[in-house]
Amino acid sequence: MNPPYADAVQLLEREHELDVLGAALRLVGEGGAGLGIAVSGESGAGKSTVVATALQQGPALRTLRGQCEPLSTPRPLGPFRDLGLPGVADTTDDAGLREAVLQELGSEPTVLVVEDLHWLDEASAELLRFLVRRVETVPLAVVVSYRDLEIGAHHPARQLLGDFAVLDGLRTLVLRPLSEAAVAAAVADTSLDAARVHRLTGGNPFFVAQVAREPDRPMPSSVRDAVLARIDDVELDDLEILQLIACAPDRLDDRVLPLVGVDLPTLRRLDATTLLGRSDRGVVFRHELARLAVESTIPPGGAPRLHQRLLEALEQLEPQDPAVLTHHALGARDVDRTLAHARAAAAQAVAAASNTEAASFLEIALNHLPTTAAPLERALLLSQLTRQQYFIGRHRDAIATARASIRLWEEAGEQAGVAEAYAGLAVLEYQSGHSATSTVHARRATEIADACGVPTAVARAYTDAAMLAVIGSDLPRAVECAARLLAVATEAGLEEFEVAGRMMSAAVPCVTGESWARTEVLRWAEEAREQGWDELAWRGHILVFSADHEHGSVRAAQRIIEDTLAYVTERDLGVARLWHLSFRGLVHLTAGRWSAAEEDCRTAIDDVELGANIWPDTVLGLLSLRLGRGGADELLEGAWRKARGADEPLRYFPVLCALAEAMWMTGRPDPRVTDFAVDNLQRLASSPDAIWAGGRLAVWLRRLGLLTARPAEIGEPYRMLLEGRHVDAAAWFRMAGDGFAEALALSDSPEPEHRLEAVALLDRLGAIGTADRLRVELRSDGLDSVPQRPRESTRANPGGLTNRQLDVARLVAKGLSNNEIAARLYISPKTADHHVSAILAKLELPNRRAVVVRADELGLV
C-alpha cells in the first residue's frame, strides 16, 4: 500500500461532506455569496484530508491556509501571520486590521482554510468572527476545522463556533467515526477481522489505516503501537530527526533544516515512513497523533537537548517569533531565554489586544524570574499580570497576583506601587462582590498615595476610588475624590488622569439625572476612546448607561449599551463585555424583548467571578415569572446573595423589586420583602441617585399592601401611580418604551376596562405568566368578560425576536430595503429577506410598512 491509502480510508463515508464543500467552493468561484463551513471531528477523523480533497476536486481558487499550533501558549494571530495579508504582523489597530483583511480576502474568489481551532488564540478568534459575520458580502469561503471535545465553555473559539451554529451562511459538518461496514471495506484485501479492527480503533480512520497498512504484523494493543510500527526499522540518527520534528508542533521551518543537520537524503528516508508531510511553511507530521506517538519515544532527559537545538537555530532567523521561541526555551529548560522570550511574547500579545495570551506569557516570565531578581522587577511583572488577568475576567487570580505584588513593592520601598496595587484590589474586590473589602482597599490606596506624593499613584488611586464611590452611592466621597484627582492630574500634566478627573467631576450630577452632566461624561468618554484609554472610556459609558436606565430612558440606554458593547468587544475587554451583555439583557427585559434578554443573560450568568453582577440572575428570574416558567426562586436567591454582598442601594432595589414581583405572582410571603424591604425603604431611597429605584419599590410594596410611608422624593411615573393617576403613569411608560410597566400601571387601576386592557397588553407582549395572574384576580372580582389566554398558534410574539432579528428590525423601521439591510449587516439579500419574514410573523404585522409606522411603539427607534 502506498501513502495515498491513508487518505483513501479517511475519505470513506465522506461523500456528503465532500458534496457540501464542493458546492460551497463552486458558489464562491462563480462570484456568488460567500459562506463559512466548520468541519468537526475527533483527532484522526480525516478533517484535513476531506478539506484538501474538496479543494483539489473543486474549482481553481486562490487558497490561503492558516494553521493553529499546539504551542504552550498560542501566538497572537498565529494562523494569520504567515498568509502575507496586509498589516497582520505589526498592527495595533484592531478595526483597521479587520477591515483590511476582509478587503484583501474579498478582492477575488478565495478560500481561507484555518485548521485546528482547538489551538486557536484569542485575537485570531475575534478576527475570524469578524470575517464569518460578513462572509456573505464577499466571494470568500471560510473553512475551519476543530476537535469539538477539546473546546470548552471558555475557549477562545467557543463564540465563533456559536456563530456557525446559528447564523445564516454558516454551517457545521461533523465527521463521524467509520461504521463497521466502512472498516470492512478498508481491510477487504487483508486477512484482518473487520469487527476486531473496528473495536480496536473505534472507527477512527487514521487508526484503521495504520493497522491495515501492515496486516501481517501482530495486531497492536494500542494506537500508539500502530503508529510506532511505522518507524520500527528507522535508523537511530533518523529517529532523532523525527523526534526533533516532534518537538516542533507548529512545524519545522525549511530554513531550520540545514541548521540542525537535516539533508535531502535524510528527508527521503523519513518520507518513507509516511508519517511526515509538508505545509507551505515546512515539515510537519501528517497527524498530531503520530507526532505525539513519536514524541513519546524521546528518552528521559532527551527533550531539553532537542529543544535547545531548535531554539539556537530559530534564534538565527529573522523575523523572530517570540511565542515559538518561548515554547522551545521552556522545553530546553533555559531559564534566561524563557524569561526574555516570554516578555517579548507578552508585549506582542498586548499590542495585538490578545489579553489571554498576554497573561499566559507574563505567568511564564514570572515563573522563570530568578529568585535573586530584585523585588522591584518581580513587582512590575506582577502588576502587568494583574491588569491582564483583570481584563479577561480572572478576578480570583488577579486578586492573588495584586496581593503578592504589595509585599514586593513594600520590600523595594516603592509606596507608589503599593498604592496602585491597593487601588487595583479595590476594583477587583468590588466586581467580585466584596463591597466592604473594596471600600477598605480604596481608602488605603488613597491614604498611601497621599503620603508618598507621587502624582501618578495619587491620580490612579483617586480615579478608582471616585468610580467605586459613584457606583456604590457614596456620592459625597465621589465628589471629594474627583476634586482631588483633577487637581493633581492638572498640576502634574497627566493627560489621561486629567480626562478622568473631568469625567468623574460630572459623574455625580450625571447619575442623579442632570442632562448637562450626561453630555459632559459622554464627551470625556469619547476623548478616552480616541486616545486608546479603554478602561476609562468603558467607565464613562457605564455612568451614562446607569443614569439612562435608572431614569427610565429605555431607548437612550439601548443606544449607549449597543455602542459600548461593540467597543469593548473590539478592544478585547472580556470582563467589560460580560458586564455589558448583562446590561443589554436588562434593557431587552425592560423593552419586553424576552428572547434577546435571555440570549444575553445566559451568556453572562456562567461567570461566577463577577460576584457583584446581579443582572443575569435577576433578569432570568423575572423572565421565568413573566413567561410562566419555573425556576425563578433559585435565580432570585442567587441575585439576593449578590445584592447582600454588595450592600448598596442600587444593588438592593432591583432584586427587592423582583422578589416583590415574585411574591405578588405567587402569593407566598417573603421576609426579604415583608421585613427587609419595608424596614429599609426610607434609608435606601435617601441617596439622590436612588430616587427612581426607591419609587419603583414603593409601588411594588403598595401593590402588596405593605407600603407604610413613601420616600420623600420619587421618580415621576411612580409618583403618579402612588397618587392614583394610573392612566397618566401608563402613558408615561408607553412613551418610554416600557410596555410591561405600562400594563402593570393599568392593572393597578380600579377601573375594570383598564385592568382588561392590561391583560390584553400583557398577552401581546407574550408575558403570559403575568397575564394569567391578572386573569385569576379579575375573575375572583366577579368580572365575566375576562379574555381567554391566546392559543400558542395564534399568539403574536414580539418578545421572541433574537438580537440579530432586532438588528434587522431596526433597519426595516428606518425604511431600508432588503439589499440595503444586507449591505449594512454584511449578510446576503436572501438572508435579509428570511429575517424580515420571521420578524413580520413574530410581530404579527402584515408588511414592512407596518414596522415603520409602529417603530416607536415597538422600541425600534
Side-chain angles (χ1 to χ4, degrees):
M1 301 177 183
N2 47 35
Y5 173 74
D7 293 347
V9 173
Q10 292 186 319
L11 291 174
L12 290 171
E13 298 183 326
R14 305 300 188 225
E15 293 82 4
H16 169 69
E17 290 80 6
L18 288 172
D19 287 344
V20 171
L21 285 164
L25 298 180
R26 287 192 296 275
L27 178 63
V28 169
E30 293 166 0
L35 41 76
I37 297 178
V39 183
S40 168
E42 65 177 346
S43 181
K47 301 181 291 294
S48 297
T49 301
V50 168
V51 171
T53 302
L55 290 171
Q56 182 181 13
Q57 295 176 350
L61 303 176
R62 178 177 65 160
T63 301
L64 301 175
R65 293 178 177 274
Q67 183 74 38
C68 304
E69 302 155 352
L71 300 174
S72 51
T73 297
R75 56 177 184 159
L77 295 173
F80 289 94
R81 286 186 177 274
D82 299 302
L83 298 180
L85 298 176
V88 172
D90 54 7
T91 185
T92 58
D93 177 6
D94 294 340
L97 167 65
R98 293 168 184 171
E99 292 291 352
V101 170
L102 180 64
Q103 182 176 358
E104 172 60 28
L105 292 176
S107 61
E108 63 177 283
T110 300
V111 184
L112 173 64
V113 180
V114 179
E115 299 195 78
D116 297 323
L117 291 188
H118 42 278
W119 294 319
L120 189 68
D121 67 277
E122 190 173 5
S124 297
E126 288 301 321
L127 179 50
L128 277 171
R129 287 195 77 198
F130 178 88
L131 294 176
V132 300
R133 282 174 169 263
R134 292 154 176 78
V135 74
E136 290 187 286
T137 65
V138 291
L140 171 66
V142 178
V143 181
V144 300
S145 68
Y146 66 98
R147 304 176 197 163
D148 54 349
L149 296 180
E150 297 186 27
I151 295 182
H154 300 291
H155 190 282
R158 175 48 57 198
Q159 292 180 340
L160 170 65
L161 297 180
D163 290 343
F164 272 94
V166 301
L167 295 183
D168 295 299
L170 306 177
R171 65 177 302 177
T172 300
L173 302 175
V174 180
L175 303 187
R176 307 292 182 188
L178 299 181
S179 66
E180 188 173 325
V183 173
V187 301
D189 296 332
T190 73
S191 59
L192 292 170
D193 183 315
R196 186 180 175 200
V197 173
H198 188 263
R199 284 195 303 273
L200 170 68
T201 63
N204 183 292
F206 177 77
F207 301 156
V208 171
Q210 292 304 310
V211 171
R213 284 186 60 82
E214 299 196 39
D216 296 332
R217 287 179 177 269
M219 181 72 77
S221 59
S222 71
V223 170
R224 177 177 178 273
D225 293 336
V227 174
L228 296 184
R230 305 304 315 140
I231 59 173
D232 189 45
D233 300 327
V234 169
E235 297 293 334
L236 288 179
D237 288 346
D238 290 348
L239 176 60
E240 184 172 333
I241 298 301
L242 278 175
Q243 292 168 338
L244 190 73
I245 299 171
C247 287
D250 52 332
R251 90 286 193 197
L252 193 61
D253 193 306
D254 287 334
R255 297 173 298 166
V256 174
L257 295 177
L259 298 177
V260 294
V262 179
D263 56 17
L264 190 56
T266 302
L267 288 173
R268 288 196 185 103
R269 292 193 300 273
L270 296 180
D271 186 54
T273 67
T274 73
L275 297 179
L276 297 180
R278 283 202 52 77
S279 74
D280 53 2
R281 298 176 293 157
V283 179
V284 296
F285 275 86
R286 288 170 56 82
H287 199 283
E288 174 66 6
L289 289 171
R291 187 190 71 81
L292 292 173
V294 171
E295 189 178 43
S296 72
T297 68
I298 299 173
R305 185 170 68 87
L306 295 171
H307 280 288
Q308 188 73 27
R309 287 177 64 186
L310 290 170
L311 179 60
E312 291 173 353
L314 288 166
E315 286 179 335
Q316 298 178 50
L317 303 177
E318 292 292 345
Q320 293 186 348
D321 189 327
V324 174
L325 292 172
T326 302
H327 172 80
H328 291 300
L330 275 170
R333 300 176 188 171
D334 189 320
V335 174
D336 292 341
R337 281 168 156 162
T338 298
L339 176 60
H341 292 312
R343 278 176 158 161
Q348 185 185 73
V350 170
S354 189
N355 295 318
T356 299
E357 282 72 38
S360 296
F361 285 122
L362 286 168
E363 287 170 339
I364 291 171
L366 279 161
N367 290 336
H368 289 80
L369 194 66
T371 56
T372 57
L376 180 58
E377 184 179 7
R378 187 176 295 274
L380 285 167
L381 278 175
L382 286 170
S383 296
Q384 294 173 37
L385 178 58
T386 298
R387 192 161 183 80
Q388 296 303 316
Q389 289 171 330
Y390 163 53
F391 283 158
I392 61 179
R394 286 172 50 189
H395 283 51
R396 283 192 291 265
D397 291 339
I399 288 170
T401 304
R403 286 174 176 163
S405 75
I406 290 174
R407 178 181 58 81
L408 293 167
W409 286 121
E410 290 174 339
E411 189 176 338
E414 293 284 345
Q415 288 300 297
V418 175
E420 292 196 38
Y422 273 116
L425 269 177
V427 173
L428 289 162
E429 291 284 12
Y430 178 85
Q431 292 194 10
S432 299
H434 310 136
S435 182
T437 306
S438 170
T439 300
V440 171
H441 288 325
R443 287 280 184 181
R444 191 163 186 182
T446 54
E447 290 168 1
I448 295 172
D450 283 335
C452 76
V454 177
T456 52
V458 175
R460 169 60 66 191
Y462 277 95
T463 296
D464 291 342
M467 185 67 183
L468 290 170
V470 171
I471 59 181
S473 296
D474 188 353
L475 303 189
R477 169 70 172 165
V479 171
E480 171 193 324
C481 290
R484 172 74 170 137
L485 163 63
L486 184 57
V488 170
T490 303
E491 182 179 350
L494 302 175
E495 186 179 0
E496 178 179 355
F497 291 111
E498 186 175 350
V499 170
R502 297 191 183 283
M503 178 190 295
M504 298 314 301
S505 296
V508 169
C510 175
V511 298
T512 55
E514 300 287 342
S515 60
W516 69 265
R518 180 188 187 277
T519 302
E520 190 74 357
V521 170
L522 266 183
R523 172 192 170 190
W524 295 115
E526 289 304 312
E527 175 69 16
R529 283 176 70 157
E530 290 177 10
Q531 297 297 331
W533 302 326
D534 292 342
E535 186 180 19
L536 182 57
W538 169 40
R539 288 178 173 183
H541 295 154
I542 287 177
L543 293 170
V544 172
F545 168 77
S546 298
D548 288 345
H549 184 265
E550 281 302 316
H551 294 88
S553 301
V554 180
R555 295 182 180 89
Q558 173 76 32
R559 286 191 293 272
I560 194 71
I561 203 64
E562 291 288 358
D563 176 61
T564 309
L565 190 53
Y567 172 69
V568 298
T569 300
E570 177 184 309
R571 300 300 298 166
D572 194 27
L573 297 173
V575 62
R577 182 175 182 276
L578 285 171
W579 277 106
H580 284 277
L581 278 175
S582 306
F583 295 156
R584 191 172 70 175
L586 174 62
V587 171
H588 285 325
L589 176 80
T590 305
R593 297 188 285 263
W594 319 120
S595 294
E598 183 169 19
E599 186 181 328
D600 285 338
C601 289
R602 288 289 178 200
T603 301
I605 198 169
D606 291 334
D607 198 296
V608 296
E609 299 198 26
L610 293 183
N613 190 0
I614 63 168
W615 299 117
D617 301 276
T618 304
V619 169
L620 292 172
L622 289 172
L623 280 173
S624 296
L625 289 170
R626 296 175 186 181
L627 301 182
R629 304 173 181 170
D633 290 348
E634 183 179 353
L635 289 161
L636 294 181
E637 174 61 34
W640 175 248
R641 286 195 301 270
K642 293 176 180 178
R644 291 290 282 172
D647 194 29
E648 298 168 356
L650 294 182
R651 291 292 184 274
Y652 276 128
F653 277 126
V655 181
L656 289 172
C657 287
L659 293 170
E661 185 173 338
M663 181 174 163
W664 180 76
M665 287 283 289
T666 64
R668 296 194 303 269
D670 186 333
R672 294 169 294 190
V673 178
T674 58
D675 298 338
F676 185 90
V678 171
D679 295 343
N680 290 279
L681 173 61
Q682 301 294 333
R683 176 181 66 84
L684 295 174
S686 63
S687 180
D689 62 337
I691 290 173
W692 284 64
R696 195 176 303 118
L697 180 59
V699 166
W700 273 111
L701 293 178
R702 164 72 70 82
R703 287 187 183 118
L704 294 167
L706 297 173
L707 184 65
T708 56
R710 53 176 272 183
E713 291 187 73
I714 57 176
E716 182 180 7
Y718 306 110
R719 185 179 69 253
M720 293 176 183
L721 283 171
L722 294 179
E723 292 173 351
R725 296 163 55 198
H726 304 101
V727 175
D728 291 342
W732 193 99
F733 286 122
R734 181 168 61 254
M735 292 296 294
D738 189 343
F740 185 82
E742 176 192 353
L744 287 191
L746 292 171
S747 76
D748 290 337
S749 170
E751 300 298 327
E753 62 268 27
H754 294 157
R755 298 165 73 192
L756 291 172
E757 185 181 349
V759 173
L761 178 54
L762 289 168
D763 281 341
R764 289 199 301 273
L765 286 171
I768 299 302
T770 309
D772 285 349
R773 192 264 184 215
L774 286 180
R775 286 186 178 88
V776 172
E777 182 180 283
L778 289 169
R779 287 170 183 145
S780 69
D781 288 348
L783 288 178
D784 298 326
S785 58
V786 180
Q788 294 294 318
R789 182 194 234 197
R791 291 180 301 172
E792 187 71 35
S793 59
T794 61
R795 189 191 308 159
N797 188 19
L801 297 184
T802 65
N803 279 302
R804 190 59 160 176
Q805 289 169 342
L806 282 169
D807 291 339
V808 174
R810 292 189 189 100
L811 297 179
V812 172
K814 291 181 178 180
L816 272 64
S817 68
N818 285 354
N819 286 340
E820 290 170 327
I821 292 171
R824 186 77 64 90
L825 296 181
Y826 299 99
I827 58 178
S828 68
K830 182 177 180 181
T831 298
D833 181 66
H834 288 325
H835 281 315
V836 171
S837 296
I839 290 163
L840 294 177
K842 287 184 176 182
L843 296 179
E844 210 174 54
L845 295 176
N847 51 49
R848 57 198 307 140
R849 174 165 176 74
V851 178
V852 177
V853 172
R854 295 182 55 187
D856 188 66
E857 174 190 342
L858 296 168
L860 299 176
V861 296

